[in-house]
Amino acid sequence: MGDKDKFELENRNEDPMNYAPSVSDWGFGGANLTNTSIGLVPKVNPMAVSKGDLIGSSSCSSTSMVDAFGPTIWDHHTNSENLGFCDNGVQKNTSDTFGIRKGDPVALRSIDKTFDMGWNPTSSMLKGDIFLPNAPAMLPQRLPQFPADSAFIERAARFSCFNGGNFSDMFNPFAVPESMGLYSGAGGVMQGTQEAFAGSGLKSVSGGQSKKNEPSVGEVSKDVSLSVEHGAAGGSPPKDERSQSHVRSHDESKQRSGGSGNDSDEAELSGAGDQDEPSVLEGAGREPFAKGLDSRKRKRNGQDAKLDPAKGAAQQSGECAKDKTEIQQTGDQNPTSTTNRSSGKHGKQGSQASDPPKEEYIHVRARRGQATNSHSLAERVRREKISERMKFLQDLVPGCSKVTGKAVMLDEIINYVQSLQRQVEFLSMKLATVNPRLDFNVEGLLAKDILPSRVATSSTLGFSPDIPMAYPPLHPSQRGLIQAGLPGMGSSSDLLQRTIHSQLTSMAGGFKEPTQLPNVWDDELHNVIQMSYGTSAPSNTQDEDGSLPSGQMKVEL
Amino acid sequence: MISKGATRNSNSRRVKFARRFVSALLHMRNRNPRPGSLSIEGVRTKSQRIKIAAYLSMAHAVGSRRAWSRAVLSKLGSRARRHMSRMGRSSLGSLKKKRVIRSYSPGELGQAKKLRQLVPGGKTMDICSLLEETAHYITCLATQVKVMQTLADNFSK
């Protein structure tokens, strides 16, 4: 009794036994019998088990997969793109695979310089797909594309938070071209953004952006600032300067992962196609540029000062009213988003919680139309994690595919766990009665266990459904017998005869309902045992179970 | 593929559990040669021991990777039992770690509480990890039930 007492004590003290059966179960409360969830088959398909393993590693995998998605894509893109496109000097920065036009080596190189540090990873994302067919003609007109670029940049910034963006969407060949080439990363995004916008590719664009920006968020931001400075300080020809500034602006807009007002970006992009005055473009470029810097803020507080003048200058230019307004719109939006974001978490990226290797934080990017408060972002991440886990559980628990809603799902999960624990208890009881016959070939049993398919499916199926089935008749009759495992459980007398004559059959005849036992069996049990002891030891238990009409039938027998 | 690895893991887990559990059963059988185990009390005690052995075996098969298995091992482990027998119930109370029942999401009602009671070690977990542990626990319970069912069927034949 000592052990038993201790165990019972443990139960009261939330012993692990509570995990399986509740205390009431343990204490033969029997009340739980009525609660059994029906139809729980102990047989869980192997997939579930494998899923469990998945879950086992899910702690790392769930995030790692997400995380891996970003960085790997980036890395992948970087490699592929670099090889493909950078023939101008861009290639030198392996990562900078801007879709730079071949026809603009000078500009490209200058751009490369600026982008080098910061945009290596990001540029790769952009993929140099952006070969604009009219590149040569566009060369001198780089500026015209600027508005598009700026808009593009802003958009890129906005979309950067979309995770899993399809890069393919981004890289549809656009007419936007030149600027794209110039700004490589920015250019590519622009094209992508234009198309994406048209085709609801916002997400993809942002995804691409996010990918691009992820690495840039942290250190890259620093790099960008460096590049900005570099561009500003460089005494390159005006063209280069402009390109650089354009690039910068693109970078900025790209970096600016604002989750707001993408529509304005779209409009801007569409307007970008127009050939605008260089001055306008410049201004437009600078504006987003400044804003971009602001958005990237955390590490670059100092740069804001630099940007502001640029911003002012940009605003002053304004040939293209449409562009201007558009740009201003984005400008307006950006500061708000920027401030929100900068106040929030450090360089958020991607709506998913991704952990780029360089960063120490979990970066989350606000999606379009969502609040960018740091708290809400954190909550969003949490909610997403929880919903992801709930989905996984939904696959595990049988019969929950149609259930929607957390509350119902949780109820189902709880029921399932309780039923599994109850099954364990039943089986342990059964094994306790059967144990004396454990002379078997243990290895053979193990070999059977190893088999993935269920060997004793019939008994299994018979077992679990019977348990709930047994409960209703059990309670009303207050009979302590549960002929678990007997599929067609007939009258108790039939059962009794079967058990007695067939001795230990595959039916879980020997299975006693623990909760009922003490109440019902005390007297009859002994009688039954003594009476039927001669037949076979194991059958005693079965007899006990079968004697629903209690000892009377046994006596007759 | 992940599924392959998962299947391998599940198979090895199942095998580990089966081995440990069967050896525990054999040990128990050898310990009590013929105590008249057909008495109700005897059967109940034995079934309790078997149940504990089953949970322990599964926890050992899983290892210390999971919070719930660690909780089971600490609670039901041989050391815990020895400790319990030596020092009595009071010491076991001191062994328990402080339970912090957190309810992060108000919309969870009492379900999170119930789940915490069901899953070992769930009292000190937040909802997020609780769900994860629950999922793993469910899979392990399922394999446990399968193996025990197979054993019971084979033994009863």
Side-chain angles (χ1 to χ4, degrees):
Chain A
M1 273 307 285
D3 277 353
K4 191 172 151 197
D5 288 341
K6 282 175 194 149
F7 290 138
E8 285 173 345
L9 287 176
E10 273 188 3
N11 287 341
R12 268 177 249 130
N13 300 331
E14 48 165 85
D15 183 275
M17 291 322 187
N18 285 345
Y19 306 143
S22 59
V23 175
S24 62
D25 276 336
W26 184 254
F28 314 101
N32 297 330
L33 294 180
T34 52
N35 297 341
T36 50
S37 55
I38 312 272
L40 279 179
V41 183
K43 167 185 180 174
V44 178
N45 54 12
M47 274 315 295
V49 176
S50 62
K51 273 177 198 165
D53 289 329
L54 274 177
I55 283 190
S57 60
S58 67
S59 54
C60 56
S61 65
S62 60
T63 50
S64 65
M65 276 171 60
V66 170
D67 299 340
F69 188 59
T72 53
I73 288 187
W74 289 352
D75 296 339
H76 177 70
H77 283 299
T78 307
N79 298 334
S80 61
E81 292 314 327
N82 287 330
L83 297 176
F85 296 102
C86 306
D87 53 342
N88 299 327
V90 180
Q91 191 132 40
K92 59 185 181 177
N93 307 324
T94 54
S95 55
D96 278 353
T97 49
F98 305 140
I100 298 179
R101 290 174 308 112
K102 299 181 179 180
D104 198 9
V106 175
L108 291 174
R109 272 189 230 113
S110 61
I111 294 173
D112 290 341
K113 278 189 219 156
T114 55
F115 287 112
D116 256 346
M117 309 187 250
W119 292 103
N120 289 343
T122 58
S123 59
S124 58
M125 303 307 278
L126 290 184
K127 293 188 180 177
D129 276 329
I130 316 193
F131 276 113
L132 306 173
N134 47 358
M138 300 298 283
L139 256 187
Q141 299 168 357
R142 249 177 288 159
L143 293 179
Q145 280 139 20
F146 191 66
D149 293 340
S150 57
F152 157 75
I153 289 175
E154 289 190 297
R155 195 176 271 190
R158 300 229 181 103
F159 293 115
S160 57
C161 57
F162 291 136
N163 4 345
N166 307 326
F167 290 92
S168 60
D169 292 349
M170 288 179 32
F171 301 119
N172 296 332
F174 292 112
V176 187
E178 306 289 323
S179 53
M180 306 298 282
L182 290 180
Y183 303 112
S184 63
V189 177
M190 261 188 62
Q191 282 181 343
T193 52
Q194 282 185 353
E195 286 265 341
F197 299 144
S200 74
L202 289 179
K203 283 214 172 153
S204 59
V205 172
S206 60
Q209 275 297 328
S210 58
K211 299 285 190 297
K212 216 178 19 167
N213 291 335
E214 234 181 63
S216 62
V217 174
E219 281 110 40
V220 176
S221 61
K222 277 191 215 150
D223 295 334
V224 175
S225 60
L226 286 174
S227 64
V228 172
E229 293 170 355
H230 180 79
S236 47
K239 197 161 133 188
D240 292 341
E241 248 181 296
R242 228 183 309 169
S243 62
Q244 285 174 3
S245 67
H246 291 315
V247 175
R248 262 180 278 143
S249 63
H250 285 297
D251 292 340
E252 294 310 332
S253 62
K254 274 192 297 184
Q255 288 177 346
R256 201 181 332 186
S257 54
S260 54
N262 295 320
D263 290 337
S264 60
D265 287 335
E266 284 184 63
E268 287 174 37
L269 283 181
S270 58
D274 302 340
Q275 307 275 324
D276 296 325
E277 300 292 332
S279 59
V280 175
L281 293 174
E282 219 169 21
R286 295 231 185 107
E287 208 176 295
F289 173 66
K291 291 177 199 161
L293 284 180
D294 289 344
S295 62
R296 270 306 191 223
K297 206 38 132 18
R298 248 213 202 210
K299 294 186 179 174
R300 303 186 253 171
N301 292 331
Q303 293 164 10
D304 291 343
K306 282 185 240 159
L307 296 173
D308 288 338
K311 205 196 256 184
Q315 285 169 350
Q316 284 165 13
S317 67
E319 288 295 331
C320 185
K322 180 162 64 163
D323 292 336
K324 221 176 165 185
T325 51
E326 288 170 348
I327 292 168
Q328 282 169 358
Q329 279 174 359
T330 51
D332 294 338
Q333 289 158 359
N334 291 328
T336 53
S337 64
T338 299
T339 48
N340 286 344
R341 284 202 347 201
S342 53
S343 64
K345 282 189 195 156
H346 190 81
K348 307 191 174 62
Q349 306 205 348
S351 55
Q352 300 165 352
S354 51
D355 283 332
K358 318 186 211 175
E359 303 299 333
E360 304 156 356
Y361 304 79
I362 291 185
H363 293 272
V364 180
R365 181 149 285 171
R367 280 192 282 242
R368 177 186 178 167
Q370 290 180 334
T372 52
N373 188 18
S374 66
H375 293 299
S376 56
L377 277 164
E379 280 171 27
R380 200 173 305 124
V381 169
R382 262 195 79 251
R383 277 201 298 269
E384 283 170 6
K385 264 199 219 170
I386 288 178
S387 65
E388 173 192 339
R389 304 223 163 121
M390 292 286 295
K391 273 189 223 149
F392 195 93
L393 278 166
Q394 204 172 19
D395 296 334
L396 275 183
V397 179
C400 277
S401 52
K402 297 163 201 162
V403 172
T404 50
K406 228 160 66 160
V408 185
M409 194 58 221
L410 277 175
D411 282 333
E412 287 298 316
I413 290 168
I414 287 171
N415 285 342
Y416 188 58
V417 171
Q418 278 172 342
S419 73
L420 280 177
Q421 287 175 341
R422 258 183 250 120
Q423 279 178 4
V424 168
E425 188 175 352
F426 291 151
L427 284 168
S428 71
M429 191 63 92
K430 181 177 177 189
L431 282 171
T433 63
V434 168
N435 223 3
R437 289 169 55 110
L438 213 133
D439 309 335
F440 292 47
N441 177 5
V442 175
E443 290 309 316
L445 290 176
L446 284 177
K448 281 186 202 170
D449 288 341
I450 293 172
L451 287 177
S453 59
R454 281 290 298 132
V455 176
T457 50
S458 61
S459 54
T460 306
L461 288 173
F463 179 68
S464 50
D466 284 341
I467 296 179
M469 278 165 48
Y471 293 157
L474 196 62
H475 274 276
S477 62
Q478 284 296 322
R479 307 267 163 86
L481 292 179
I482 292 186
Q483 286 291 346
L486 292 173
M489 208 164 104
S491 63
S492 54
S493 59
D494 292 342
L495 201 59
L496 183 60
Q497 287 167 6
R498 261 181 290 169
T499 55
I500 289 177
H501 294 307
S502 63
Q503 307 216 341
L504 287 176
T505 61
S506 61
M507 302 183 292
F511 205 84
K512 290 188 276 252
E513 176 52 39
T515 64
Q516 303 285 340
L517 278 173
N519 302 335
V520 181
W521 287 109
D522 289 333
D523 299 333
E524 294 153 356
L525 190 64
H526 293 298
N527 295 338
V528 169
I529 288 174
Q530 282 163 10
M531 280 186 54
S532 57
Y533 199 83
T535 54
S536 67
S539 62
N540 290 343
T541 60
Q542 288 177 351
D543 292 344
E544 294 160 4
D545 292 342
S547 58
L548 265 181
S550 293
Q552 294 161 4
M553 290 200 56
K554 301 258 180 172
V555 170
E556 289 169 19
L557 294 173
Chain B
M1 256 306 276
I2 297 176
S3 62
K4 265 197 220 154
T7 311
R8 264 205 310 273
N9 284 349
S10 68
N11 272 345
S12 68
R13 196 167 57 207
R14 186 190 306 190
V15 168
K16 276 191 224 167
F17 165 72
R19 285 224 174 92
R20 259 190 123 97
F21 186 55
V22 169
S23 67
L25 288 179
L26 282 171
H27 180 67
M28 255 188 267
R29 189 172 71 96
N30 297 337
R31 252 185 2 167
N32 307 341
R34 199 62 201 179
S37 53
L38 292 178
S39 71
I40 289 194
E41 289 304 312
V43 168
R44 222 186 320 166
T45 310
K46 200 164 178 200
S47 70
Q48 279 181 358
R49 289 213 203 100
I50 291 179
K51 184 161 68 166
I52 291 173
Y55 283 114
L56 266 177
S57 310
M58 185 43 97
H60 275 295
V62 168
S64 297
R65 294 195 302 266
R66 291 262 126 193
W68 69 265
S69 69
R70 287 193 293 268
V72 168
L73 286 172
S74 74
K75 238 200 201 151
L76 293 179
S78 55
R79 285 199 203 130
R81 265 182 286 163
R82 256 180 270 135
H83 198 69
M84 191 172 46
S85 62
R86 242 182 269 146
M87 308 192 191
R89 185 163 157 252
S90 55
S91 65
L92 202 61
S94 64
L95 285 177
K96 294 184 208 142
K97 37 185 179 172
K98 234 202 268 188
R99 241 152 289 120
V100 178
I101 301 198
R102 320 177 189 181
S103 48
Y104 282 166
S105 349
E108 303 278 319
L109 308 176
Q111 294 153 339
K113 194 170 137 199
K114 266 195 239 168
L115 201 55
R116 284 185 214 276
Q117 286 166 354
L118 286 177
V119 176
K123 299 242 173 177
T124 53
M125 283 193 247
D126 60 323
I127 281 288
C128 212
S129 24
L130 180 67
L131 289 178
E132 199 180 331
E133 295 290 320
T134 303
H136 193 262
Y137 185 60
I138 284 178
T139 56
C140 292
L141 267 185
T143 57
Q144 192 173 336
V145 164
K146 268 195 242 174
V147 169
M148 289 174 79
Q149 181 72 58
T150 310
L151 280 174
D153 293 338
N154 290 335
F155 288 163
S156 64
K157 278 180 192 156

